Amino acid sequence: MDVEFTEADDGQWEQYGALACRAYGQPVPDIERLGPYADRRVAVRAGRVVAGGLGLLVPQHFGGRPVPAASLGCGCVAPEERGGRLAARLVEERVRALQEQGAVLATLWTASTGYVRRLGWQAPAQVFSWAVPTAALKQAAADTMEITHGDTGQLARLRDRLAGQWNGTWQRPPWWGAWQREQHPGLETYAFAAPGREPTGVLALATERTPAGRQLVVHDFWAADADAADAMLAFLGRHHGRIPTTRFERTGLPPGPLLQHRLANAGTAAATSWHPWMLRVLDPVRAVALRGWPEHLDEEFVLDLADPDRAGTARYTLRVGGGRAELAPGSSGARDADITLTSGQFALWYAGGYRSPAAAALAGVHGERAALTRLLAATAEREPWLADYF
């Protein structure tokens, strides 16, 4: 109870940088790099910083619309302070500060997935990086597409348009490009377009030294269609003479079976699983109102949602129609709930993470199969993918 949570001044943030280096066992450059764009929070005991982290207010696309979201990063607790639920209290303070600025969702990356799941967060999708022999990418059919080196505002608009086709992708802020170039020296961007047409593909990659030599590292792979994807893979394959391996970063490839389909005969794509991104819905009513919804749906559901802050559930009526939706407290009459969801299950459904009624039922979602099928159809139009690791 003697810990004070506060927005960090420059001196406290410098203290926190030193603490994080000790807690992580290595420097954490993003504490300084992202500090100017972030809400910086620390926990202070007797004048000493004992924990902290930053939060970024960045919209995320859901249902084709950007939704205000808090993205938490670079958080830790001093080793000597662990075990007293300080981490959970700090997460709540960081979320609260950004919720006051308009966030209705919160996202984080953490190795402690079980811990934050108990706090009401859920992972919408598995996260992998892929290592592929560069020569295997030669199998992709090269196109007559024109390839242009260099990033432009035009490509940023293309990325934003393609990002809206997924759930969870960031609406990248203005500082994103400079931060990425600082993180990844030598990062290069290429645009792919049919002759005389606007670009339909964006590829960003860097090279990295490994014990075996050098490898390509793909950080951005945005393709509007299969032709663009094939041309981009073929371009990577042209590096095979001097770079034996291409690695698609943990966020560098859409979650669909793109590589598996292209390399099915070779069997050469090796996946490495990473801890996933976690999502929490801070304000279900506003999050539903701000999200995009399928135009063709006209549905109504009575939902029981578990409240993470107290025992029991709260009843809501969800109405979806004309590309919009409303989540209203209560229900008319004595109708039983169609579906019962925990806060984590609600977040997973919101992100389109349940791809079938069978998957939802195995995850513990309660409801009749017909109602569950209809409910999942409201968010399954787009797959979850957080293309930006922070």
Side-chain angles (χ1 to χ4, degrees):
M1 297 300 294
D2 58 343
V3 174
E4 176 189 4
F5 299 93
T6 183
E7 184 174 5
D9 60 29
D10 290 344
Q12 290 170 328
W13 198 240
E14 186 176 347
Q15 284 186 53
Y16 177 65
L19 181 156
C21 182
R22 177 164 60 91
Y24 279 100
Q26 62 184 28
V28 187
D30 280 346
I31 289 176
E32 181 178 349
R33 289 173 179 166
L34 293 178
Y37 316 112
D39 182 275
R40 310 180 304 184
R41 295 282 150 175
V42 291
V44 180
R45 189 196 302 277
R48 182 174 64 92
V49 173
V50 296
L54 55 79
L56 302 164
L57 189 62
V58 179
Q60 290 179 256
H61 295 95
F62 287 92
R65 291 183 185 154
V67 180
S71 295
L72 307 186
C74 300
C76 71
V77 175
E80 65 274 16
E81 295 281 346
R82 294 171 184 166
R85 289 191 54 80
L86 185 54
R89 293 168 61 195
L90 183 65
V91 166
E92 293 304 316
E93 287 295 319
R94 294 160 68 195
V95 166
R96 179 194 57 76
L98 290 168
Q99 193 171 2
E100 290 175 355
Q101 299 176 42
V104 299
L105 309 172
T107 298
L108 55 75
W109 296 85
T110 177
S112 304
T113 52
Y115 179 73
V116 297
R117 186 175 287 115
R118 293 193 293 273
L119 301 179
W121 304 69
Q122 189 53 273
Q126 291 181 291
V127 173
F128 298 97
S129 67
W130 296 90
V132 186
T134 306
L137 297 174
K138 293 170 58 182
Q139 298 177 24
D143 203 330
T144 57
M145 281 197 170
E146 296 177 344
I147 303 171
T148 306
H149 172 250
D151 207 346
T152 65
Q154 180 188 34
L155 298 188
R157 290 191 295 272
L158 173 61
R159 277 190 295 259
D160 269 349
R161 178 171 63 80
L162 296 178
Q165 298 177 0
W166 306 85
N167 287 329
T169 49
W170 272 17
Q171 188 178 63
R172 289 183 176 176
W175 48 261
W176 174 265
W179 174 52
Q180 285 292 285
R181 288 189 293 274
E182 190 175 1
Q183 276 196 314
H184 310 296
L187 187 70
E188 303 289 355
T189 301
Y190 298 88
F192 294 75
R197 300 293 185 88
E198 296 293 315
T200 54
V202 183
L203 183 68
L205 67 152
T207 58
E208 183 180 273
R209 288 195 177 277
T210 70
R214 298 185 70 82
Q215 67 176 354
L216 287 178
V217 182
V218 177
H219 295 278
D220 266 336
F221 193 102
W222 298 93
D225 51 40
D227 289 341
D230 282 345
M232 291 158 66
L233 292 173
F235 172 78
L236 294 170
R238 295 174 193 169
H239 295 77
H240 74 96
R242 62 184 185 88
I243 301 181
T245 304
T246 296
R247 190 180 88 239
F248 294 84
E249 222 350 327
R250 68 196 77 179
T251 56
L253 200 68
L258 180 64
L259 271 183
Q260 299 94 307
H261 174 69
R262 299 299 194 278
L263 304 177
N265 295 328
T268 52
T272 300
S273 179
W274 296 92
H275 50 271
W277 58 284
M278 307 290 285
L279 178 69
R280 179 175 162 189
V281 180
L282 306 176
D283 186 335
V285 173
R286 289 194 63 220
V288 164
L290 293 172
R291 190 191 193 281
W293 301 89
E295 292 281 348
H296 65 278
L297 287 186
D298 185 7
E299 298 279 10
E300 180 175 307
F301 306 90
V302 176
L303 306 179
D304 277 348
L305 304 184
D307 189 327
D309 297 324
R310 63 176 187 270
T313 59
R315 180 153 293 182
Y316 293 87
T317 299
L318 173 67
R319 299 181 181 89
V320 183
R324 297 190 175 276
E326 176 191 34
L327 185 69
S331 64
S332 59
R335 177 179 169 184
D336 291 336
D338 297 307
I339 309 289
T340 299
L341 298 158
T342 67
S343 57
Q345 290 166 348
F346 184 84
L348 196 59
W349 165 78
Y350 185 92
Y354 294 121
R355 308 311 297 172
S356 70
L362 285 173
V365 178
H366 296 288
E368 293 293 331
R369 186 179 181 90
L372 195 52
T373 299
R374 290 164 41 228
L375 182 71
L376 299 191
T379 60
E381 189 176 51
R382 291 170 169 83
E383 287 189 71
W385 177 34
L386 184 53
D388 298 322
Y389 188 87
F390 57 90

